[in-house]
Amino acid sequence: MTINAHFATPTKITLGDIQLEVFEAGRENRGNPIVLCHGWPEHAHSWRHQMPALAAAGYHVIVPNQRGYGNSSRPPKVEGYDIAHLTGDLAALLDHFGYRDAVFVGHDWGANVVWSMALLHPDRVNRIINLALPYQPRTSIPWIEFLEGVFGPDNYFVHFNRRPGVADAVLDANTGRFLRNLFRKNMPAEPPEPGMMMINLATAAAPLGDPVMSDEDLAVFIAAFEEAGFTASINWYRNMDRNWHILADVDPIVRQPALMIYGAQDMIPPSETLAEFVPNVEVLSLECGHWIQQEKPAETNTALLNWLAVRQAA
């Protein structure tokens, strides 16, 4: 399925030993790249509202299905999804297009990749816009151990790591129901049994809240995960402790200008230490939940374009 009739058919781009499925808009705006990075369990289609607006504003918009998603490669080994590989893909994507650096925009897990891109490949990132997930400082102990100590063994981050294959099978068997239940607006701030939230959503009979997207748009996500399965994307979570070690000796300060956009009803709370680690950050909150750019597309586009215009003029 294509993102939108106005966009070119996606290109399969070979980057070393993998291929990424990449959507583009504004190819004529050569020299002004912006890379949009989706979250979990999403797809390049999550940026469908932003692509035409950014292209019209003069950007070459590059939107990959990152490894493990859509028709991009799905390496068989878990370690193939660590943060060195995920950020390396984005650096290689810039090389493919002949760009030294770009603006990077991320949502959810894509935001984590963008924050890490600024740490591991700082010369390739000139500005950052992240949605939903603020910068996550490196904890004193590996992340999964830390999360297990705080939230217990049924937290889905912990569950994905400690019980490999279990959630994958449940989500694969209930793909449509899971995604239909997950992509909702106005969900309660504290869902029942939050530790097992993902499996609960896959087996719940009735969704909570209003749908984030149309049935036609949701069908793009469902078709993609029915084809690819969930294991490759969940393997991103299974590298969190490996990522903790990869980042051990890296300067933790993000020095690029950054915009952090929160959803006021999101279950992810704002960071209390964001400015310590991202000193050039501005913060904005929109009245929505977690799926910010899909719940509030016009407001998100305005926020992106206004901030980029000011930063470009500075």
Side-chain angles (χ1 to χ4, degrees), residues 182-258:
L182 182 66
F183 289 116
R184 315 300 294 187
K185 303 176 186 178
N186 309 317
M187 291 183 70
E190 292 294 336
E193 301 179 67
M196 296 295 287
M197 179 173 64
M198 296 305 166
I199 289 180
N200 290 341
L201 287 171
T203 56
L208 298 169
D210 301 322
V212 165
M213 64 187 86
S214 69
D215 288 343
E216 181 181 11
D217 289 321
L218 182 61
V220 176
F221 291 77
I222 292 173
F225 280 97
E226 285 181 339
E227 172 67 24
F230 281 89
T231 295
S233 65
I234 292 175
N235 281 343
W236 289 34
Y237 289 88
R238 294 179 176 133
N239 278 281
M240 289 184 64
D241 283 355
R242 185 174 287 106
N243 297 345
W244 185 88
H245 289 287
I246 289 170
L247 295 171
D249 298 320
V250 176
D251 179 1
I253 305 302
V254 173
R255 306 186 187 281
Q256 294 87 344

Side-chain angles (χ1 to χ4, degrees), residues 16 36 53 55 86 131 135 145 201 216-217 219 237 243 279 294 313:
L36 311 183
L86 298 179
L131 288 70
Y135 180 91
E145 183 181 349
L201 287 171
E216 181 181 11
D217 289 321
Y237 289 88
N243 297 345
Q294 299 185 82

Side-chain angles (χ1 to χ4, degrees), residues 4-6 10 59 75 84 86 109 116 121 123 125 141 144 146 166 204 244 266 306 314:
N4 186 298
H6 296 295
Y59 289 92
L86 298 179
W109 245 110
S116 299
H121 303 275
D123 294 340
V125 181
I141 57 176
I144 296 303
F146 174 81
V166 175
W244 185 88
D266 196 349
N306 286 348

Side-chain angles (χ1 to χ4, degrees), residues 32-313:
N32 199 17
I34 187 166
V35 182
L36 311 183
C37 301
H38 63 77
W40 184 86
E42 295 188 88
H43 188 278
H45 195 67
S46 63
W47 298 107
R48 62 196 175 279
H49 301 296
Q50 286 66 53
M51 291 181 70
L54 289 165
Y59 289 92
H60 178 192
V61 189
I62 302 168
V63 190
N65 268 325
Q66 297 175 84
R67 61 169 65 198
Y69 288 85
N71 291 315
S72 293
S73 295
R74 299 188 289 275
K77 295 183 178 180
V78 171
E79 56 267 28
Y81 300 87
D82 68 25
I83 202 64
H85 285 95
L86 298 179
T87 58
D89 289 346
L90 299 182
L93 195 58
L94 293 187
D95 291 340
H96 170 83
F97 285 107
Y99 291 129
R100 183 182 68 86
D101 57 20
V103 178
F104 281 87
V105 183
H107 170 255
D108 184 80
W109 245 110
N112 191 36
V113 175
V114 170
W115 292 126
S116 299
M117 185 76 184
L119 301 181
L120 295 171
H121 303 275
D123 294 340
R124 312 307 299 269
V125 181
N126 62 55
R127 281 163 289 167
I128 293 169
I129 301 174
N130 275 332
L131 288 70
L133 188 72
Y135 180 91
Q136 303 295 296
R138 190 170 175 275
T139 49
S140 58
I141 57 176
W143 275 308
I144 296 303
E145 183 181 349
F146 174 81
L147 290 168
E148 188 170 22
V150 174
F151 298 111
D154 285 339
N155 173 265
Y156 72 95
F157 281 68
V158 179
H159 187 279
F160 286 166
N161 279 267
R162 302 295 192 232
R163 302 185 66 189
V166 175
D168 317 37
V170 174
L171 301 185
D172 285 348
N174 298 277
T175 298
R177 178 180 293 178
F178 170 58
L179 295 176
R180 198 170 288 111
N181 288 346
L182 182 66
F183 289 116
R184 315 300 294 187
K185 303 176 186 178
N186 309 317
M187 291 183 70
E190 292 294 336
E193 301 179 67
M196 296 295 287
M197 179 173 64
M198 296 305 166
I199 289 180
N200 290 341
L201 287 171
T203 56
L208 298 169
D210 301 322
V212 165
M213 64 187 86
S214 69
D215 288 343
E216 181 181 11
D217 289 321
L218 182 61
V220 176
F221 291 77
I222 292 173
F225 280 97
E226 285 181 339
E227 172 67 24
F230 281 89
T231 295
S233 65
I234 292 175
N235 281 343
W236 289 34
Y237 289 88
R238 294 179 176 133
N239 278 281
M240 289 184 64
D241 283 355
R242 185 174 287 106
N243 297 345
W244 185 88
H245 289 287
I246 289 170
L247 295 171
D249 298 320
V250 176
D251 179 1
I253 305 302
V254 173
R255 306 186 187 281
Q256 294 87 344
L259 174 64
M260 179 66 222
I261 302 177
Y262 293 109
Q265 284 87 50
D266 196 349
M267 288 181 287
I268 299 176
S271 168
E272 297 180 357
T273 61
L274 182 62
E276 295 176 30
F277 291 92
V278 191
N280 295 316
V281 70
E282 297 176 45
V283 176
L284 177 66
S285 180
L286 297 179
E287 288 299 320
C288 61
H290 182 69
W291 314 109
I292 296 170
Q293 75 272 29
Q294 299 185 82
E295 291 186 49
K296 294 289 186 179
E299 294 87 342
T300 299
N301 291 351
T302 296
L304 268 61
L305 294 171
N306 286 348
W307 186 81
L308 288 167
V310 169
R311 283 294 176 177
Q312 201 162 33

